[in-house]
Amino acid sequence: EFQKVAQSRLPGTTVTVAQNVVGGRTIGEAAADTSLVAALKGGAKYDYIVLQDQSLVGGIPANTGWAQRDDGEDAVRDVFSPIANDMGATLVFYQTWGRRGTEGAQWGFTDFLQMERCLEDGYATYADIAYRQGCSKTMIARAGLLFRKIYESAVALGQTPSTDSSTLFWKLYGTDGSHPSVVGSYAIATAMFYAMFPQTSYAGWEDTWYRNPAVTVDDAKTISQFAFDTSSSQIEQVDPAVKQLWGSYINTQRLSLVIRAPALLCHHSLRQGECNDLVVCRQLVHAIQQHDCRVSKSSTEQAARNNCDGCPERCRREDDRRGRS
C-alpha cells in the first residue's frame, strides 16, 4: 500500500520496498535475529529503515520491569541506530495505534485514547534514543496519531467511535478491534507517506492518486487531510526562546516536537490551539540548556504550570535521583 500511495503521489518516483516481518515480534527480538542484522549490514543500501514494535510493548513505559521494552530500547541504541548511521539511512519509527475499545484492558490499557497516548510516548522515547546515538534524521511515522485525530473528529461530531460501526474510526480496524482493516492499512500507508516525504503538501484530493477500492473517495479525502495534518510541521505560537534552540535541541522534522538537552523528553504538540495546558517558558529553556538531564513528562508539565519556578533546581533533583551528573 505504501509503495502504491507514494508512487501515485510522486509521479516519476520509484519506491522500492523490502520487508522482514514476523507476527508479534518485538524490536528486541528483531535485533537478535542474526540473519536480519546481517542482511541490513551487508545488503542493499536503503534511504529509510522502518522499525515497528509489538503492538503492546511500544506503549509500555521504560524501567517498569518489562524486559521486552528494555530490550527494545537496547536494540535501538546498540543495533539499529549504528546500522542506520553506517548506511546513511533515516531511522523511522512506525508508531502504532491503540486498540479500538477495551481490547487492551487485560494488559492495563483501559481504552483507545489511553493506549494511544502511551504509544505516542513510547515511540517518542525510541526516537529520542536514536537521536542520542547520532541519528539526526530520525522520524516517527505517526499512524497512531492519525487514528487519534480521526477518533477525535468523530467525538467532536457527537459520535461514539469505539462502538459506532458507521464511523471512519471504526472502519480502520479489523474484526478483532486491534489489527487494521483494508481501510486502516490504506490510512497507515498514507500517514507513512507524509512522514517520509515531508516536502509534499496536501491541497486537496487528486483523482490520479491511488485509492484502495475498499476506501470510498470521501474517506480517502479525510484520511489524506488528517495524515498530512498529523505529519506536517505547522509551528505557531512557539516561544522565541524555543525557536533559538532549533537544530540543537529541537527536532522540528515533524509536528510533535521533542525538546532535547540533549534529551529532555517533553514531547507535545505546539500546533495552534493544541497546547493550552503546557507552556514552554524561557526559564525552562534555560534549564534544559544548562543540564544534561531527563525530566519526566509529569514533572515538566507541573513546572510549566507553576511558571517554571525553580526549574534548574528541579533538573538538579532529577539528575540526583537518576544518578546522572
Side-chain angles (χ1 to χ4, degrees):
E1 287 292 277
F2 169 75
Q3 185 181 48
K4 294 175 182 178
V5 168
Q7 291 184 162
S8 73
R9 300 188 186 209
L10 293 174
T13 300
T14 299
V15 177
T16 301
V17 178
Q19 61 182 3
N20 187 299
V21 179
V22 177
R25 183 171 64 181
T26 66
I27 290 179
E29 290 167 345
D33 184 334
T34 55
S35 61
L36 168 60
V37 172
L40 285 172
K41 289 182 175 180
K45 301 299 182 183
Y46 294 101
D47 297 308
Y48 301 92
I49 298 174
V50 181
L51 296 179
Q52 175 195 350
D53 209 343
Q54 193 273 344
S55 61
L56 297 167
V57 174
I60 295 171
N63 302 316
T64 53
W66 280 70
Q68 290 174 312
R69 174 68 196 196
D70 295 338
D71 290 346
E73 295 192 3
D74 291 344
V76 171
R77 183 184 63 248
D78 300 331
V79 178
F80 292 113
S81 292
I83 289 174
N85 284 332
D86 290 344
M87 191 182 294
T90 296
L91 199 57
V92 181
F93 291 93
Y94 165 20
Q95 185 242 306
T96 54
W97 49 91
R99 299 192 174 176
R100 183 167 56 197
T102 59
E103 292 85 356
Q106 60 181 306
W107 294 280
F109 298 113
T110 56
D111 57 22
F112 165 76
L113 280 178
Q114 188 254 353
M115 183 174 179
E116 170 55 31
R117 293 186 185 279
C118 287
L119 287 163
E120 291 171 20
D121 290 351
Y123 277 89
T125 299
Y126 282 146
D128 181 73
I129 292 169
Y131 190 90
R132 279 173 167 256
Q133 300 307 308
C135 295
S136 59
K137 296 187 291 184
T138 297
M139 62 176 59
I140 305 173
R142 302 180 188 278
L145 182 56
L146 169 61
F147 277 44
R148 176 159 70 86
K149 295 298 182 183
I150 293 173
Y151 175 95
E152 291 171 343
S153 70
V155 171
L157 293 173
Q159 299 169 325
T160 53
S162 291
T163 59
D164 186 345
S165 60
S166 69
T167 63
L168 175 56
F169 176 77
W170 178 277
K171 291 187 286 186
L172 296 173
Y173 292 84
T175 55
D176 64 359
S178 173
H179 294 89
S181 63
V182 174
V183 177
S185 295
Y186 177 79
I188 293 161
T190 306
M192 295 192 72
F193 167 75
Y194 282 113
M196 295 167 69
F197 294 93
Q199 75 276 13
T200 57
S201 62
Y202 180 75
W205 177 260
E206 297 185 17
D207 292 335
T208 57
W209 289 350
Y210 165 75
R211 173 177 59 85
N212 190 294
V215 183
T216 68
V217 173
D218 285 344
D219 285 347
K221 291 178 179 179
T222 300
I223 287 168
S224 294
Q225 184 65 68
F226 278 124
F228 174 71
D229 290 346
T230 294
S231 62
S232 62
S233 206
Q234 301 182 38
I235 314 300
E236 298 101 0
Q237 298 183 349
V238 180
D239 189 294
V242 175
K243 289 184 178 180
Q244 293 175 9
L245 301 178
W246 275 332
S248 299
Y249 299 100
I250 304 289
N251 171 15
T252 59
Q253 183 72 37
R254 304 270 37 102
L255 170 133
S256 290
L257 306 185
V258 179
I259 301 174
R260 308 177 188 283
L264 169 60
L265 192 59
C266 173
H267 58 281
H268 59 283
S269 172
L270 284 176
R271 292 190 55 183
Q272 186 172 6
E274 292 188 8
C275 194
N276 297 324
D277 64 341
L278 180 57
V279 177
V280 180
C281 77
R282 292 176 185 273
Q283 279 189 282
L284 180 56
V285 170
H286 174 75
I288 65 177
Q289 286 177 306
Q290 299 301 315
H291 299 269
D292 179 10
C293 65
R294 183 189 297 270
V295 181
S296 69
K297 185 178 180 184
S298 59
S299 66
T300 305
E301 289 175 345
Q302 188 59 53
R305 293 191 184 101
N306 291 342
N307 199 27
C308 295
D309 292 336
C311 270
E313 176 64 17
R314 183 182 301 277
C315 287
R316 186 190 65 76
R317 290 201 305 270
E318 192 74 14
D319 280 349
D320 293 343
R321 186 178 70 80
R322 293 178 178 270
R324 298 167 59 89
S325 61

